[in-house]
Amino acid sequence: MSNYGSILRSLAWRGAIVLLVMIICFMYLFGSLAGTSVTLVVALLCAGFLMHPLAALVAEPAREVFFRDGSRKERLPGYSVPEALRMRGEHEEAMEELEDMTIRFPEEPGPYGMMIDIAAGDLEDIERAQRIYSRGMRRLESEGARKRLAEMYDFGTAGSGLPDYQAPRALEARGRWEEALQAYGKIAEEYPDELKPHAEMMRVALLGLRDRNRFRRIYRRGLDSLNRRTDRELLDREYDRISSMADREGGRRGNRAASADILD
């Protein structure tokens, strides 16, 4: 994504100011020796005022060629660090990482959604989840971002206070993915119309066990079990979110392997 729009807007309003100042100078100062000197000084100041957007306009093609991938990554938050902290049971540390993301990516609802999920699911602190949700809704300016956060809040707090997720979370923290998956499966059997256990099984299957076939089977089984249309739509979104996380993580592993081959 280019920056031409913001550069041209900056150039337009700066140019309008410079044009107005120069017209005033020529009307009232030009003609006398002192007036000419003042006009030259004002012209130099105006040139400096226009320098930043002009330099950005000249540099933009090179930035697009050499820094397109890096700038794209900087606009997208990466959830691998807080997700890893969460899986190790370091929930407050994961919260700190996500809070930092809300500062660096002020229009991204994802960090708020993950904090809500940790607060409601891992820490069983519904009041904290509600405070995080309220803060996110105040800070997010885009209507689409606020709508997405509302959906995340519905998902993160779905069934709170009913199933007990502490046992499977503890198994996850110890890396016992298969047992964690079975524990989530028991919750899904007891609460077949609850969204959360199906989504958690999907996450463990793909991000923990790296089993994409099982991930798809759990997703299809969840769609069959859930009665509410909104829950099925949220499960669709979780499918896309978890798939994207796995793809990004797989890409990073591929890059590390390629780097190791080069070093060898």
Side-chain angles (χ1 to χ4, degrees):
M1 181 177 178
S2 71
N3 294 324
Y4 283 115
S6 60
I7 293 171
L8 292 174
R9 283 194 296 272
S10 176
L11 189 60
W13 69 261
R14 287 171 185 252
I17 293 173
V18 166
L19 181 61
L20 180 62
V21 170
M22 293 305 297
I23 289 172
I24 293 172
C25 286
F26 275 102
M27 286 177 61
Y28 295 101
L29 299 176
F30 192 75
S32 66
L33 182 61
T36 303
S37 300
V38 172
T39 302
L40 289 174
V41 171
V42 171
L44 290 173
L45 292 174
C46 290
F49 188 59
L50 291 173
M51 188 62 68
H52 182 269
L54 287 173
L57 188 63
V58 171
E60 182 63 14
R63 188 199 68 81
E64 286 195 325
V65 170
F66 293 106
F67 300 106
R68 181 180 299 161
D69 293 339
S71 63
R72 174 67 178 164
K73 290 175 183 175
E74 181 57 28
R75 286 194 294 272
L76 294 175
Y79 296 95
S80 57
V81 172
E83 186 70 39
L85 290 168
R86 181 184 184 184
M87 287 182 175
R88 292 201 300 266
E90 299 176 17
H91 300 120
E92 292 301 334
E93 290 78 1
M95 287 286 211
E96 290 176 6
E97 288 286 336
L98 292 163
E99 286 284 5
D100 181 60
M101 283 187 194
T102 64
I103 297 170
R104 291 187 288 119
F105 304 95
E107 275 305 303
E108 279 291 330
Y112 295 104
M114 192 169 180
M115 283 194 289
I116 289 169
D117 194 37
I118 292 172
D122 299 329
L123 303 176
E124 296 186 340
D125 190 341
I126 300 302
E127 290 185 3
R128 186 175 182 181
Q130 290 171 339
R131 289 196 302 271
I132 293 167
Y133 171 71
S134 298
R135 187 169 72 247
M137 293 298 277
R138 286 196 306 270
R139 291 179 178 176
L140 294 170
E141 296 182 0
S142 164
E143 183 64 31
R146 288 196 294 269
K147 182 179 178 181
R148 177 72 177 115
L149 180 59
E151 293 171 350
M152 291 176 180
Y153 178 77
D154 290 340
F155 167 73
T157 57
S160 296
L162 295 175
D164 181 7
Y165 293 97
Q166 294 304 304
R169 289 294 195 197
L171 292 168
E172 280 189 63
R174 295 197 293 271
R176 294 161 64 176
W177 303 110
E178 191 64 49
E179 294 173 65
L181 187 64
Q182 292 173 8
Y184 283 124
K186 289 180 181 177
I187 295 174
E189 289 175 4
E190 294 176 16
Y191 304 91
D193 200 31
E194 284 293 327
L195 167 66
K196 193 174 181 64
H198 298 287
E200 296 291 2
M201 283 194 292
M202 287 163 51
R203 181 176 59 81
V204 169
L206 190 56
L207 301 182
L209 295 172
R210 316 289 183 191
D211 190 336
R212 193 170 287 273
N213 289 329
R214 195 186 298 192
F215 166 71
R216 294 193 184 104
R217 288 197 301 271
I218 292 168
Y219 164 70
R220 287 193 291 267
R221 194 160 59 241
L223 289 179
D224 292 337
S225 299
L226 297 171
N227 293 322
R228 291 187 294 271
R229 181 177 60 85
T230 54
D231 284 347
R232 292 194 295 271
E233 291 174 354
L234 287 170
L235 194 66
D236 283 337
R237 291 182 181 275
E238 281 301 294
Y239 181 94
D240 294 337
R241 184 181 74 88
I242 295 168
S243 296
S244 297
M245 289 174 63
D247 291 342
R248 287 197 298 270
E249 197 166 313
R252 283 192 292 271
R253 285 201 304 273
N255 291 338
R256 285 196 294 269
S259 300
D261 291 340
I262 291 171
L263 291 174
D264 290 342

